[in-house]
Amino acid sequence: MDRYSEFDTRAYLVDRYPVTMFEEDQTKLMTPWNILCYHKFYGDFQKEWDSSNAVLLGLGGGPCIYDFISAAPCVAEIYHSDFVKSCCDEVLMWKRNDPGAYDWSPYFKHVVNTLEGHSNADAAIEREAKMRSVLKDSVKCNVRQTP
């Protein structure tokens, strides 16, 4: 049995990425800063590549997708990977829009409405749909192991 087989992805998400994240004092939290960095990166650099051909590979993403929210309109395809299969399963649950999937909607609303300034109430929902379409897969990957 590998030591990661018992990793509780949902407990990790609830602890580290609460759905109430943006109701708290953001100056004390790291994730909003990370989200702001991703937002700035994709906003600044999307002009530098042809988004119709751009492919993003997320390596070691855990069960998280917040780092792809700003990337979704800037790339044609996103591939998520992680060493722990349950993390990949969690991402795929979100992609399929399974009823038990983790709720990332507050993160989408924060990026789309707050950071990007979209006032359209459906803009965050549209971004979720866009991301589900460009997120092609989530696969278990051990970069320290030769295939």
Side-chain angles (χ1 to χ4, degrees), residues 53 73 139:
N53 295 319
V139 296

Side-chain angles (χ1 to χ4, degrees), residues 39-51 54 70-75 116:
H39 165 71
K40 286 182 177 182
F41 174 81
Y42 290 109
D44 290 345
F45 292 99
Q46 70 179 341
K47 303 170 210 115
E48 303 295 325
W49 63 68
D50 178 3
S51 63
S70 292
C74 307
V75 298
E116 295 178 3

Side-chain angles (χ1 to χ4, degrees), residues 9-142:
T9 57
R10 188 52 58 100
Y12 173 82
L13 289 170
V14 168
D15 180 58
R16 303 285 175 106
Y17 304 96
V19 295
T20 58
M21 174 73 74
F22 301 103
E23 297 170 10
E24 300 175 18
D25 179 7
Q26 295 181 32
T27 61
K28 297 179 183 175
L29 301 170
M30 180 62 90
T31 300
W33 180 83
N34 289 348
I35 290 173
L36 181 60
C37 290
Y38 287 118
H39 165 71
K40 286 182 177 182
F41 174 81
Y42 290 109
D44 290 345
F45 292 99
Q46 70 179 341
K47 303 170 210 115
E48 303 295 325
W49 63 68
D50 178 3
S51 63
S52 67
N53 295 319
V55 177
L56 174 61
L57 172 60
L59 192 59
C64 302
I65 60 165
Y66 71 87
D67 47 335
F68 300 143
I69 297 171
S70 292
C74 307
V75 298
E77 297 178 353
I78 297 173
Y79 294 89
H80 170 274
S81 67
D82 196 78
F83 180 75
V84 179
K85 185 180 180 318
S86 63
C87 291
C88 298
D89 294 342
E90 187 74 42
V91 170
L92 291 173
M93 282 178 58
W94 177 86
K95 178 182 172 37
R96 292 187 306 261
N97 207 13
D98 287 356
Y102 196 71
D103 180 14
W104 289 101
S105 62
Y107 292 77
F108 279 88
K109 289 175 186 170
H110 180 73
V111 169
V112 174
N113 299 122
T114 305
L115 298 180
E116 295 178 3
H118 295 283
S119 57
N120 175 356
D122 293 330
I125 294 167
E126 291 166 5
R127 178 68 55 85
E128 285 193 63
K130 170 71 173 171
M131 195 162 122
R132 283 188 173 95
S133 73
V134 298
L135 178 62
K136 300 303 180 188
D137 206 355
S138 179
V139 296
K140 184 176 189 278
C141 177
N142 182 351

